[in-house]
Amino acid sequence: MSIKKIDGLEIEEEAIKKNQPEWPFQRVGIIVMAIIVAAALLGLLGLGVFGKSIVSDKNKILTVHYEIFNRSHNLTLVRVEINASSLPPTAKIIPIWFNQSYLDKSVIENIHPKPAFEEINANKLIFYFPVKTPKSNISINFWIEPQQAGIRYGEIGILDGPTLTFKQVVYP
Amino acid sequence: MDAVLRAAFIYFFLMIVIRISGHRTLTEMTTFDFVLILIMGDASQQAITGKDYSITNAVIIITTLVLIDIGLSFVKYKSKFLERLLDGSPLILINNGKLEKKMMEKTKVDESDILEAARELQGLGRLDQIKYAILEKDGQITIIPK
C-alpha cells in the first residue's frame, strides 16, 4: 500500500480517493437489510399478520386457520373449525386426524379442548373430541412446534369426511 | 413483525434512558455503572428476543437495529437540530482558563476529572495550565493547554 504526502500529511493513497470500492456494496447491503425488515413487518418471515391463511373444503364443513410462515422451535397455531350444522344431531364424538408425516417433524405442545383419546391409524394420528349438543361452530386449537426448517405439507381431516391440505414454510 | 417492533422500541428506549443519564455514563464508568449496563443488556436481550431463539429472529433483530442506527446517522447528518437532540453538544468546562462551575455541576464533572484528562492527554499537572476543557459528545474531556 503506497503512502502519499499531502501538505505535510503522510497518509495511505486509498484515503484520498473519492470513491471507495466497498461503498456500492454498502448501498446494496442497506437495501437488502431494508427488504428483510419490510418482509419481517409484513409477516413473511413468520409470526405476522400477512403470514396467516385459511383453507376450507367446498361445503365449508371443515376450515383450517394456519400460519404459512413459521420458525423452527416456535409455537404455531393451527385452528380447526367444524361447521356444527354439518354434523348429525346424534354425533357424540368428532374424529379429527393429521397426517403422520406432518407430525413427524413437529411436536404438538397443546390441544384445546383436550381430546378424549388418540389413535394411530395407518398414516394418520386421530384425535377424538367429545361433543354434547353441537349447535354453534366447533373450534379446536392445536399448538404445534416445528422441529425442522423447510417446507412441509399438512393434511387435516374429519374421519370419513372432508380432507384439507396446507403448506407451511419453516424458517431456521 | 413483533421482533422488529420490540427491537425498535428497546433501541429508542435505551437511547432515551442513556441520553437522560448524561454524558459521563458513556466513558467514565464506575463499577456500579458497569453492573447497571450488564443488567440493562440482559433485560433488553430478553425483551427483544422473547422466547424465540431461532436464527431468523436473530437476523431480523440485528438487521432492524443496524438499520435504525444507519437511519439515525442519516437523519443526524441532515438535521443539526436532531443531531443535538440525539447526541447532545460539546460543553465548555473551562473557558479561557476560567472554571465554569455551573456547567461542571450540571454535567457532574469535578476538577479532579479535568485534571485527570489533562494529565492523560496533555501531560499537564495544574488547572492554570489549561485554556479550554471541553466535555465532548461522547463523554471524553478534551484539553487545550494555554
Side-chain angles (χ1 to χ4, degrees), chain A residues 33 40-41 71 74 171-172, chain B residues 1 52 54-57 60 63:
Chain A
M33 285 196 287
L41 281 169
R71 294 178 199 158
N74 266 284
Y171 293 109
Chain B
M1 182 170 83
D52 190 344
S54 63
I55 295 170
T56 308
N57 198 39
I60 292 170
T63 309

Side-chain angles (χ1 to χ4, degrees), chain A:
Chain A
M1 199 169 281
S2 64
I3 304 284
K4 272 206 162 185
K5 198 169 183 178
I6 318 148
D7 297 331
L9 172 72
E10 282 186 350
I11 195 162
E12 289 162 16
E13 201 178 344
E14 286 292 310
I16 54 164
K17 280 188 180 169
K18 285 187 178 159
N19 284 304
Q20 294 291 322
E22 71 270 19
W23 286 351
F25 294 106
Q26 277 182 356
R27 255 175 254 134
V28 172
I30 290 169
I31 292 165
V32 170
M33 285 196 287
I35 290 169
I36 290 172
V37 172
L41 281 169
L42 292 173
L44 303 178
L45 298 177
L47 313 175
V49 183
F50 294 101
K52 291 178 179 172
S53 188
I54 302 170
V55 62
S56 266
D57 66 298
K58 61 179 178 187
N59 297 322
K60 304 276 179 197
I61 296 170
L62 182 66
T63 305
V64 174
H65 300 253
Y66 66 100
E67 288 172 313
I68 307 167
F69 305 105
N70 312 148
R71 294 178 199 158
S72 65
H73 299 285
N74 266 284
L75 287 182
T76 177
L77 176 67
V78 176
R79 195 165 85 238
V80 178
E81 282 178 359
I82 301 142
N83 187 349
S85 61
S86 65
L87 297 171
T90 53
K92 293 273 182 237
I93 206 146
I94 306 171
I96 304 285
W97 61 266
F98 274 85
N99 59 325
Q100 191 64 51
S101 59
Y102 176 76
L103 296 177
D104 282 346
K105 294 172 186 168
S106 314
V107 172
I108 296 180
E109 284 289 332
N110 198 6
I111 304 172
H112 185 81
K114 296 269 181 230
F117 59 96
E118 296 159 25
E119 187 183 68
I120 298 170
N121 189 340
N123 294 327
K124 294 170 184 168
L125 180 60
I126 311 163
F127 301 92
Y128 291 89
F129 296 92
V131 282
K132 283 190 177 168
T133 44
K135 282 179 185 166
S136 58
N137 283 359
I138 296 160
S139 181
I140 302 160
N141 291 334
F142 293 85
W143 278 275
I144 297 170
E145 189 183 295
Q147 299 296 300
Q148 285 175 19
I151 295 170
R152 59 202 202 130
Y153 296 89
E155 272 181 57
I156 297 179
I158 301 174
L159 212 58
D160 304 322
T163 300
L164 299 174
T165 307
F166 60 97
K167 181 178 154 185
Q168 288 182 312
V169 177
V170 180
Y171 293 109

Side-chain angles (χ1 to χ4, degrees), chain B residues 93-94 99 104 109-119 127 130 133 141 143:
Chain B
L93 305 171
I94 295 181
L99 284 170
M104 287 168 66
V109 176
D110 58 20
E111 289 174 19
S112 65
D113 293 323
I114 297 172
L115 280 168
E116 190 181 318
R119 284 194 302 272
L127 280 173
I130 302 169
I141 298 171
I143 302 291

